[in-house]
Amino acid sequence: MSATKPIVHVSNVFKYFGQLAALNNVSLDIYPGEKVVIIGPSGSGKSTLLRSINRLEEVDRGQIVVDGMDLYAKENDINAIRMELGMVFQSFNLFPHKTVMQNLTMAPIRLKKIPRPQAEDNARRLLKKVGILEKAGVYPTMLSGGQQQRVAIARALAMNPRVMLFDEPTSALDPEMIGEVLDVMVTLAREGMTMICVTHEMGFAREVADRVVFMDQGQILEVGTPEHFFEAPEHPRAKKFMEQIL
Amino acid sequence: MPDKQEVRIDVSDGAAIPRKRDIGLFSAWWISLIGALGCIAYLCLAKPEPYLDILKFLPDGILVTFEVTILSILLALFLGLITGLGRISKNRTINLIASTYVEVVRGIPLLVQLFYIYFALGQVFSNLPNPADVAESMAAWPGIIVYVVVGVVGFLKDMPPLVAAVTAMGVCYGAYMGEVFRAGIESIDKGQTEAARSLGFNRRQTMFLVILPQAWRTILPPVGNEFIALLKDSSLVSILAVADLLRRGREFASVTFSYFEAYTMVALIYLVITLILSKGVSAMETRLNYYVRD
Ligand SMILES: Nc1ncnc2c1ncn2[C@@H]1O[C@H](COP(=O)(O)OP(=O)(O)O)[C@@H](O)[C@H]1O
Ligand SMILES: [Mg+2]
């Protein structure tokens, strides 16, 4: 893997909220096609790390490079970089004033200047993929949580991103809806999408993750395969955490 | 999740907006409207002189009242949008300017602002040099600049009352509207901005494509209320020789000495107008809820 260039390069990143170091010297390289799952206790900085990668959070120190483009370089347009990074939020964040179809076509039409018919064709293809084509014409509030999250994934995919970022995509869902969202994510992983997922769904991690990253108190404490974490996590805090969630 | 959207901005002025479930207000609305219309009809039939004459005399004033109100609300909306955006801006200077505008304007009574813009500034402006002299003194300047400067000087020198009225009312209500816009924008979940930005929309696109279209739902009802309040306040401009509804009533009364009759009709007509408008606002509010599941 190290022969190719990383598509996401995070090096020596610090992020402070007042006195609190939400990210404390974090470095992480993600390679094309890789699936990385980030785990760790609440407040450990997982969301902050993920949000730093598309600059929803401004870091205080360190470097973040996406697809060869430094997020903080003057000559790089952050909006163009963000088009390469799809993001899925815990709370879906669909646009409630737009139909499902419009949620998917808005950005491609406005930002990529894709003709409407083509954008709609693509949207239908994606909606079919996430199993929700029949809801194209309705407003998001008419959908269940699981359906909304699947639409949110499709919306991010509609921009044809190189990397998908997931921030606890299933933790706001009723238990019976978690499966349908994870299924979509597994399918996406099988298709070769580069994915960085903050999730505690260890079944998902075992199925698709190349690497699991354990964070605590703003630091990456341990990196390894899912099996490694199931069987023999080394760091005491990683061990304790795994005992708690399994 | 969308519960967040149910934030309601309460603006106390303006006619009460009847709500569907509020039976008391609902029937009060009908009683008031039918009562007012009934009174007008009765008075005009029973005593056509002077009531019918008054009724025929007032419509010009109603038009002017609407003209002042609509122009003022447009100016207020424009200023309110800018002020609201300024108030949430991260740029300190912009933020400070917007906040100061709101503070200053809210601390000065509308009537004083009207006087100030028309009489006080009018006096300053009337001391401006004659446009012809200005043109002469600017002979060395490019023609287009001279044209604009002379035009502005001439305009300010004898500012028409209507312009003064609309400026004062627009500036005043713009400050209130700024608060409405700010509250409306802030009522939208931060996740909406984050979702839009993460797709690649810039700040402006995010504001105009994602935030404002949703904020309208919270913004429009208070804007409707402000419109009604503004329409009532517009009666103040009658002082500036703007021939609005109140001024027309006064003109009629001062010629015929039928003060009681004239002002009765003026009051009834204001009442009918605001009642109908308040119904319109509530209908609009209902329509705006189209994407919310009950
Ligand atoms: N906007 C913010 N302002 C202040 N503190 C924050 C903010 N966002 C996150 N934090 C703090 O930073 C730490 C890391 O948060 P976060 O990245 O959300 O953790 P996680 O996603 O792992 O639960 C937490 O202590 C949290 O309270
Ligand atoms: Mg988090």
Side-chain angles (χ1 to χ4, degrees), chain B residues 133-249:
Chain B
D133 298 342
V134 174
E136 207 168 303
S137 71
M138 290 179 72
W141 291 67
I144 180 79
I145 295 182
V146 176
Y147 180 80
V148 171
V149 171
V150 168
V152 170
V153 168
F155 179 80
L156 292 177
K157 202 166 162 63
D158 52 9
M159 183 168 37
L162 182 71
V163 173
V166 167
T167 307
M169 308 254 308
V171 166
C172 179
Y173 273 77
Y176 294 98
M177 220 60 101
E179 290 307 276
V180 171
F181 271 95
R182 182 182 60 80
I185 290 166
E186 284 180 347
S187 75
I188 303 304
D189 192 283
K190 235 179 86 229
Q192 291 292 306
T193 304
E194 295 186 344
R197 297 306 305 272
S198 75
L199 285 167
F201 288 113
N202 62 30
R203 276 159 173 277
R204 193 173 38 81
Q205 291 165 325
T206 300
M207 183 54 67
F208 285 93
L209 297 174
V210 175
I211 306 303
L212 283 176
Q214 297 181 61
W216 281 126
R217 274 187 60 228
T218 18
I219 288 172
L220 269 185
V223 165
N225 262 345
E226 293 287 291
F227 183 84
I228 294 168
L230 207 158
L231 186 132
K232 291 189 293 178
D233 276 353
S234 76
S235 58
L236 292 172
V237 307
S238 59
I239 284 167
L240 306 190
V242 175
D244 75 328
L245 175 54
L246 177 58
R247 177 100 186 177
R248 290 287 283 180

